Amino acid sequence: MGVSDTHRAIDAVWRIESARLIAALARIVRDVGLAEDLAQDALLAALKQWPEEGVPANPGAWLMATAKHGALDRLRRHKMLDRKHEVIAREMESLERATPDLDSAIDDEIGDELLRLVFTACHPVLATEARVALTLRLLGGLTTEEIARAFLVSESTVAQRIVRAKRTLAEARVPFEVPRGEEFAARLGSVLQVIYLVFNEGYSATAGEDWMRPALCEDALRLGRILAELVPAEGEVHGLVALMEIQSSRSRARVGRDGEPILLLEQNRTRWDHVLIQRGFTALARAEAVGGALGPYALQAAIAACHARAAVAADTDWQRIAALYDALAELAPSPIVELNRAVALSFAFGAEAGLAVVDELLGEPSLKHYHLLPSVRGDLLARLGRTEEARAEFVRAAGLTRNAREKGLLLARAADLH
């Protein structure tokens, strides 16, 4: 294997193992910032050794063992002799020769170490934006650029949030655990937001050569399922799981033979995974059974269910979807919800109705660099026969996206209008 091939293998291993590695280290050293530093040190060691020695048979275990040795060295080098670090050092020395089990999903009645990592990063000592950014970084292995695009903010803003968040958690000595009682409820909203943003990055990658990163979807869905079993009386948890199950059901149909994106209305619905759809319907029923008004995730799941029930795109109940988006816009208003509502309105009541809503969003600062705004506008203009305007919008959208596959799709749509 050549050096470039080895580096690609290391990148793939890191994408798969980094979150588990950081979570396991955080449980040991009880500091998420230090855990990430140790994981990064192990990655640097792999970049140095693997091109010469080859990729080990169990790369995740190699990274874990290397990170543990690095943690012990750091403890000894800095002579951290206070009681806390003495305990940590003794625990690590007893584990030094152990082979880590990176595939273990649940280690006690609370569950997943990854779930502990999410709840730790979502501690109330942090601002909401910092909680989400830090957890996306630690759980999903996302870059600051990817997180910035998810939040429609600058990279420098995200980088500052992450640095300050790790420092705050360390100074506050936040325990690495899933909280109980009222504290659990207080942090649940941030956790759900983080899980869904991780899922979205896997479902439609903001950058790179691939339109999807399935490992992120799988991690997010697994965390959501675990959380749903831990808190069965929380309707929004079931709503989020339902939404992710139904969206995941489309994965095989969303990508063509050569990796090109296939949009929802053009997908071969026989390729949708009906097991996942049924799981989504079941989770949505659990959300509805909790009682009370549906929350934002459950409403989005109900919208996804409308698509899932349509055997072909022409059977879609767009008026029902438009009504659900009206409810969502009232409950959780945002520019992106409005953009999606515009699409629903265009299919329910005509492209002009949707375009009127989109045009009201043109001055929205947070959407200035959001490629889906010109993309949606281009589609509506094309449906109205305003071809040249539509083509210009698709070209502009292609210039804004950082995803190579999506850029190709948008340029192809522009070319088709010539």
Side-chain angles (χ1 to χ4, degrees):
M1 182 182 292
V3 173
S4 60
D5 292 334
T6 303
H7 284 175
R8 281 194 291 270
I10 292 171
D11 182 65
V13 169
W14 181 253
R15 287 290 190 181
I16 295 169
E17 302 289 358
S18 62
R20 296 182 182 89
L21 182 63
I22 294 169
L25 289 167
R27 179 175 58 82
I28 295 171
V29 302
R30 300 162 199 176
D31 182 328
V32 293
L34 176 57
E36 188 187 14
D37 290 343
L38 292 168
Q40 291 285 348
D41 289 344
L43 174 64
L44 291 175
L47 288 169
K48 181 179 179 181
Q49 295 184 37
W50 292 6
E52 299 177 359
E53 303 173 3
V55 178
N58 189 338
W62 189 98
L63 289 169
M64 176 62 80
T66 301
K68 282 183 177 180
H69 291 317
L72 272 174
D73 289 344
R74 183 176 298 212
L75 287 170
R76 292 163 179 160
R77 184 169 61 251
H78 293 286
K79 298 180 180 180
M80 295 178 177
L81 298 179
D82 59 81
R83 184 175 182 84
K84 172 187 173 183
H85 288 96
E86 283 181 357
V87 171
I88 293 174
R90 284 198 300 271
E91 290 177 355
M92 290 192 66
E93 286 169 351
S94 68
L95 292 170
E96 196 170 12
R97 294 184 178 84
T99 299
D101 179 8
L102 297 179
D103 296 324
S104 178
I106 298 177
D107 58 5
D108 58 21
E109 73 280 0
I110 291 298
D112 203 343
E113 286 179 344
L114 287 175
L115 194 61
R116 294 181 182 182
L117 180 60
V118 177
F119 270 97
T120 300
C122 288
H123 197 279
V125 297
L126 303 176
T128 300
E129 295 84 357
R131 301 176 206 175
V132 177
L134 179 62
T135 309
L136 282 168
R137 170 76 172 182
L138 299 179
L139 176 70
L142 305 189
T143 65
T144 54
E145 178 188 0
E146 290 167 337
I147 299 170
R149 288 185 65 81
F151 281 111
L152 306 176
V153 296
S154 70
E155 290 182 51
S156 61
T157 297
V158 171
Q160 290 172 0
R161 288 175 184 172
I162 291 172
V163 169
R164 290 171 183 165
K166 290 192 288 189
R167 185 187 304 128
T168 300
L169 290 175
E171 292 173 352
R173 299 199 174 197
V174 171
F176 186 68
E177 63 185 14
V178 177
R180 304 276 189 171
E182 292 183 1
E183 188 180 356
F184 180 95
R187 277 197 258 170
L188 184 59
S190 289
V191 171
L192 296 180
Q193 184 182 22
V194 165
I195 291 174
Y196 191 45
L197 282 171
V198 171
F199 178 86
N200 273 340
E201 181 56 35
Y203 193 69
S204 297
T206 56
E209 296 298 321
D210 298 317
W211 199 32
M212 295 186 66
R213 292 163 57 184
L216 286 181
C217 292
E218 292 165 6
D219 268 341
L221 190 49
R222 184 170 63 89
L223 286 171
R225 289 168 177 167
I226 291 172
L227 189 60
E229 296 309 313
L230 290 173
V231 285
E234 295 287 344
E236 270 293 78
V237 177
H238 299 302
L240 175 57
V241 172
L243 177 58
M244 293 191 297
E245 298 276 16
I246 296 172
Q247 288 185 323
S248 292
S249 73
R250 308 171 192 156
S251 295
R252 287 180 301 182
R254 295 185 75 238
V255 180
R257 181 174 298 176
D258 297 323
E260 71 277 10
I262 301 176
L263 301 179
L264 176 62
L265 299 184
E266 299 168 4
Q267 290 169 14
N268 179 356
R269 301 190 176 205
T270 63
R271 299 195 67 204
W272 287 1
D273 188 327
H274 291 279
V275 172
L276 288 176
I277 289 174
Q278 192 55 53
R279 289 180 66 107
F281 289 166
T282 300
L284 182 56
R286 292 180 73 181
E288 293 169 344
V290 169
L294 295 181
Y297 292 113
L299 284 171
Q300 291 176 74
I303 291 168
C306 287
H307 290 294
R309 292 189 181 101
V312 294
D315 293 341
T316 305
D317 187 350
W318 284 107
Q319 292 195 8
R320 167 69 174 159
I321 291 174
L324 288 168
Y325 268 119
D326 286 343
L328 181 61
E330 184 174 345
L331 184 63
S334 79
I336 292 178
V337 169
E338 277 299 289
L339 185 60
N340 287 318
R341 190 173 76 89
V343 174
L345 289 172
S346 76
F347 284 106
F349 305 110
E352 288 186 356
L355 185 61
V357 175
V358 169
D359 284 348
E360 291 179 359
L361 296 171
L362 294 179
E364 171 57 45
S366 66
L367 297 182
K368 182 178 180 180
H369 301 292
Y370 189 53
H371 69 284
L372 291 182
L373 178 60
S375 175
V376 168
R377 192 166 189 270
D379 181 67
L380 296 175
L381 290 168
R383 287 164 55 189
L384 290 170
R386 294 162 63 177
T387 306
E388 284 304 309
E389 293 173 84
R391 189 178 66 82
E393 291 289 0
F394 286 133
V395 170
R396 190 163 78 87
L400 291 174
T401 184
R402 299 292 184 89
N403 184 279
R405 296 290 186 179
E406 198 161 27
K407 182 186 292 289
L409 173 67
L410 290 164
L411 290 176
R413 298 187 73 186
D416 287 343
L417 293 174
H418 252 310

